[in-house]
Amino acid sequence: MGAALEYDGTGDVRVGHVADLVRKQSAAPTAEGAPEAPVRAVLILAIICMSYFMVILDNSIVFTGLPQIRADMGFSETGLSWITNAYVLVFGGLLLLGARAGDLFGHRRVFLFSLVVFSLTSLLVGAAQTQWWLIGARALQGVGAAVLAPSALSLLTRSFAEGRARNRAMAAYSAVAGLGAAFGLVVGGLVADLVSWRAGFFLNVPVGIAMVVPAVRFLPETARRRGRFDVAGALLATLGSTALVFGIVDASDIGWTAPATVIPLVAGVVMLALFARVERRAAQPIVPLRLFASRERSGAYVTRMLYMGAMMGFFFFTAQFLQSVYHWTPLQAGLAFLPMTLVNFVFAVQVPRLLERASRPLVLATGVALTMVGMVWLSRLDPHTPYLTGVALPMVLIGAGQGLALAPLTSSGVDGVAPADAGAASGLVNTVHQIGSALSLSILTAVAATVSTGHVATDIAARSGAALTGSAVLLALAVVAVLILIVPARATRTERFL
C-alpha cells in the first residue's frame, strides 16, 4: 500500500513517543546546519508525518470501498485493480521527478505546492461520475503524492542527524504512516456505510489546506540547486511500468499470447531498458546509478519492492474476502484489521530500542520472516474459515512483522547518501515501494483470475487464497534478499567502522 502500506496504532501514544524522541536527543541539525529547538523538532516531525499520513490514508480508504465502487460504477474484477494501479503507477513513476523538483526548487516550496495539488485532486476523485473519470482523477492524485512523499522524507532526513535521532524519527514516520493505513481502512468503511465511498476522499481537502499554514511557519527550507529535469527518464519509467502492468492485467482476461497482452509487455521491457540507458548517459539523472553502489541500499530497494508488493495483495484481497464471503459491511471489514494494527503499533514503537541492542539486518529479517509466516497461514482461506483463528491470528503475525520491518528497511534505503542525493534516494525508496505494489498487484490479480469453482463465495475465497499464497512467495523472496544482500553488506560496513 502505502507503500508504503505501514501499520500502527493510536495518536496519543505516538505523540508521547515523539516527545520522548526530542527530550532524549540533542537538538537535530536543520538543512542549514543550525540545531533545531526541541519543540520545533516535534512540530517538524508532526507536519512531515501528517503529510504522509494523508497519502497512506487516501490509498487505504479505497480498499474497504472497493465492493461499493464496483457496484456503483460497474467495474469488472480485473478492472477494479486499476483504481489502485492508476494511483500507484503514476505515484511511483513520477516520484523520482518529484524528488528532483525538491532538490532544484527547495523541498519546502515543493512540499507546499504538492500538498495543495494532492488536496484538490482528492476532490476530483470524490466527484467522479464514470470509470475513466475515477481512474484519471486517481492518476492526477498520484502526481501530487509523487511530489509530496519524497519532499517529506527528504525534510525528515535533513532535520534529524544520522544515528539514534534519525532512527527514532524514522520509527515515528513509519508508525504514523502505518496509522494512516489502518485508520484509512476504518474511516473508509465508516463513511462507505454511513455516507458513500466518496466522502473519504473529500476529507483530504480541509485537512490538506489546514496544514499549509504550519508548514510555512515551521518547516525548514533547503538550498536550491542548479540543474535540470530528466524528463525523458521520468516518462520512460512511468510508461514502461504502466505498460507492464497493463499487459499483465490484460492477460487475466484475454490470455498471455494475445497481441493486446504481448505488445504492452514487450513495450514495457523495451522502455525500462531505455530508461536504464538514459540514466547512464544523463548529466543529471533522476536515478544516479551511484545510489546502487551500496549493497545495503540496493538490497533495501529489492526487499522493499517485494515486501510492499506482498502487502498490497494482502489488503486488496483480504478486504474483499471479508465483505464478499463473510458479507460484512465496509466498517466491519475495516475494524477486522485492528488486530494487525494494534500489534503493529506495539512492535513499531520498540524498534528504536531494538536497534540499540541488535543489528538492523537482524531486526529487518525477523520482521519479514514473521510477515511471511502470517501470510502463509492467512492464505489457507475458504468460505468456512473462522475469523478468529483463520484471519485475526495470522494478522497478528503480519502486524508484528510489519512493525519490525519497515523502519529499518526505510533507513537502509537512505543512509549514507550525500546531501546532493538526498532527494533522489528518498524518491527511489518510495518509487520501488509504489512500482513494486502495482506490478505485484497485477501479477496477483492475474493469478487469482485463473481460479474458478463455479460458486461465487467459493470463487472469491479460492481466488483470495491463491493471491495470498503469491504474497507469501514474494515475502519468501524478500527474506532471501535480506540474507544475501543486506546482512553481508552491513557486516562489512561494521567491520570497516571498527
Side-chain angles (χ1 to χ4, degrees), residues 55-221:
V55 173
I56 300 299
L57 173 73
D58 181 85
N59 207 34
S60 296
I61 285 174
V62 172
F63 290 120
T64 44
L66 283 173
Q68 196 177 88
I69 294 172
R70 182 178 181 181
D72 286 353
M73 308 193 91
F75 278 97
S76 66
E77 186 170 345
T78 53
L80 199 65
S81 65
W82 280 105
I83 299 172
T84 297
N85 283 338
Y87 176 80
V88 298
L89 280 170
V90 176
F91 188 178
L94 297 183
L95 265 167
L96 296 170
L97 202 61
R100 184 66 174 157
D103 289 337
L104 296 182
F105 301 122
H107 289 288
R108 187 181 69 174
R109 293 183 187 90
V110 170
F111 177 89
L112 291 168
F113 172 77
S114 59
L115 188 61
V116 172
V117 170
F118 186 82
S119 301
L120 295 180
T121 51
S122 295
L123 183 64
L124 283 178
V125 174
Q129 298 299 311
T130 66
Q131 291 184 11
W132 286 110
W133 179 347
L134 177 58
I135 292 172
R138 287 285 284 165
L140 289 175
Q141 198 179 29
V143 175
V147 185
L148 181 63
S151 294
L153 187 54
S154 293
L155 287 168
L156 184 148
T157 56
R158 288 166 181 262
S159 298
F160 295 88
E162 186 171 342
R164 192 180 183 197
R166 188 178 295 172
N167 283 340
R168 289 177 173 270
M170 283 292 184
Y173 177 84
S174 298
V176 173
L179 175 61
F183 192 59
L185 291 167
V186 177
V187 169
L190 180 63
V191 296
D193 268 356
L194 300 181
V195 186
S196 165
W197 61 267
R198 303 173 185 276
F201 293 100
F202 292 143
L203 290 175
N204 283 334
V205 181
V207 173
I209 293 174
M211 284 180 60
V212 170
V213 173
V216 170
R217 174 69 178 83
F218 295 108
L219 289 183
E221 184 53 281

Side-chain angles (χ1 to χ4, degrees), residues 11-76:
D12 291 341
V13 181
R14 171 52 50 196
V15 169
H17 181 67
V18 173
D20 180 61
L21 182 157
V22 294
R23 283 198 302 270
K24 291 184 177 181
Q25 301 302 318
S26 57
T30 67
E32 303 302 325
E36 286 289 354
V39 173
R40 187 180 182 90
V42 171
L43 292 171
I44 289 171
L45 186 58
I47 293 167
I48 291 171
C49 287
M50 185 61 189
S51 68
Y52 200 51
F53 177 93
M54 285 179 59
V55 173
I56 300 299
L57 173 73
D58 181 85
N59 207 34
S60 296
I61 285 174
V62 172
F63 290 120
T64 44
L66 283 173
Q68 196 177 88
I69 294 172
R70 182 178 181 181
D72 286 353
M73 308 193 91
F75 278 97
S76 66

Side-chain angles (χ1 to χ4, degrees), residues 2-9 14 17-18 21 45 48-50 52-53 56 153 156 166-182 304 308 341 344-345 347-349 351-352 355 402-412 429 433:
L5 302 175
E6 303 173 13
Y7 270 70
D8 272 302
R14 171 52 50 196
H17 181 67
V18 173
L21 182 157
L45 186 58
I48 291 171
C49 287
M50 185 61 189
Y52 200 51
F53 177 93
I56 300 299
L153 187 54
L156 184 148
R166 188 178 295 172
N167 283 340
R168 289 177 173 270
M170 283 292 184
Y173 177 84
S174 298
V176 173
L179 175 61
R304 194 178 195 93
M308 299 317 302
T341 302
N344 190 315
F345 177 77
F347 278 80
V349 297
V351 166
L355 291 175
Q402 194 169 23
L404 290 174
L406 289 185
L409 188 57
T410 301
S411 294
S412 290
V429 166
H433 181 135

Side-chain angles (χ1 to χ4, degrees), residues 64 86 146 153 167 173 205 216 286 317 361 368 400 415 423 430 434 469:
T64 44
L153 187 54
N167 283 340
Y173 177 84
V205 181
V216 170
I286 56 172
F317 288 98
V368 178
D415 272 2
N430 284 289
Q434 301 300 330
T469 299

Side-chain angles (χ1 to χ4, degrees), residues 92 94-104 107 146 149-151 153-154 157-158 225 279 284-292 297 301 413-414 417-432:
L94 297 183
L95 265 167
L96 296 170
L97 202 61
R100 184 66 174 157
D103 289 337
L104 296 182
H107 289 288
S151 294
L153 187 54
S154 293
T157 56
R158 288 166 181 262
R225 302 179 185 274
E279 296 310 284
Q284 295 177 333
I286 56 172
V287 183
L289 296 184
R290 57 184 171 269
L291 291 177
F292 297 96
R297 280 199 300 273
Y301 302 146
V414 297
V417 299
D421 290 333
S426 301
L428 189 54
V429 166
N430 284 289
T431 295
V432 297

